Amino acid sequence: MPSAPLASVLFVCVHNAGRSQMAAGFLQHLAGDRVEVRSAGSVPGEQVNPAAVEAMKEVGVDIAGARPKVLTTEAVQASDYVITMGCGDACPVFPGKKYLDWTLEDPAGQGVDAVRPIRDEIRARVEALVAEIDARQGA
């Protein structure tokens, strides 16, 4: 019988087309079933940024099938961690959730060369998040 996830994480950016999709892809890749992963946007775009898809593909993470989703109150309520990436005040706040704001450059309209450093910074932050989630479970 599979065990319950250690935590649930929601990544939020405005269009849910770049930063939040890359973060969700990395978390799914690094943590697997140990963490429930969601992403959403306050004003979702039409598709995931092709440069973000390509940059992630370069490091072995496939987000080509991901689709932007609208941010819902239910998604926030169901998450232990809510990580915002430039969505401002659009995210509802509930007690008992851990809110983090990751200041990251917006990859919208940029080519893959410009997206790579954003991708690498997101990966480092997601790796630190996984370590924090694992440490909390061991405490």
Side-chain angles (χ1 to χ4, degrees), residues 10-68:
L10 171 64
F11 294 103
V12 183
C13 66
V14 176
H15 299 296
N16 188 220
R19 296 166 289 189
S20 57
Q21 292 287 357
M22 288 190 287
F26 273 131
L27 185 55
Q28 187 68 53
H29 179 76
L30 295 168
D33 293 340
R34 293 182 307 136
V35 177
E36 185 177 16
V37 182
R38 297 180 178 87
S39 71
S42 51
V43 183
E46 294 292 317
Q47 66 179 16
V48 175
N49 179 338
V53 171
E54 182 61 31
M56 294 296 284
K57 186 177 177 183
E58 291 176 355
V59 294
V61 180
D62 183 7
I63 62 169
R67 298 289 170 255

Side-chain angles (χ1 to χ4, degrees), residues 12-128:
V12 183
C13 66
V14 176
H15 299 296
N16 188 220
R19 296 166 289 189
S20 57
Q21 292 287 357
M22 288 190 287
F26 273 131
L27 185 55
Q28 187 68 53
H29 179 76
L30 295 168
D33 293 340
R34 293 182 307 136
V35 177
E36 185 177 16
V37 182
R38 297 180 178 87
S39 71
S42 51
V43 183
E46 294 292 317
Q47 66 179 16
V48 175
N49 179 338
V53 171
E54 182 61 31
M56 294 296 284
K57 186 177 177 183
E58 291 176 355
V59 294
V61 180
D62 183 7
I63 62 169
R67 298 289 170 255
K69 294 169 280 315
V70 69
L71 176 64
T72 65
T73 301
E74 294 77 21
V76 176
Q77 287 176 313
S79 301
D80 300 310
Y81 290 80
V82 179
I83 300 174
T84 59
M85 304 172 183
C87 71
D89 297 335
C91 302
V93 176
F94 294 98
K97 310 294 175 194
K98 180 159 186 178
Y99 291 85
L100 301 170
D101 185 39
W102 290 357
T103 303
L104 297 159
E105 189 176 343
D106 188 349
Q110 299 192 53
V112 72
D113 288 340
V115 173
R116 283 184 190 114
I118 301 167
R119 171 203 67 200
D120 295 343
E121 184 173 348
I122 290 170
R123 181 180 190 127
R125 289 178 186 225
V126 169
E127 287 171 344

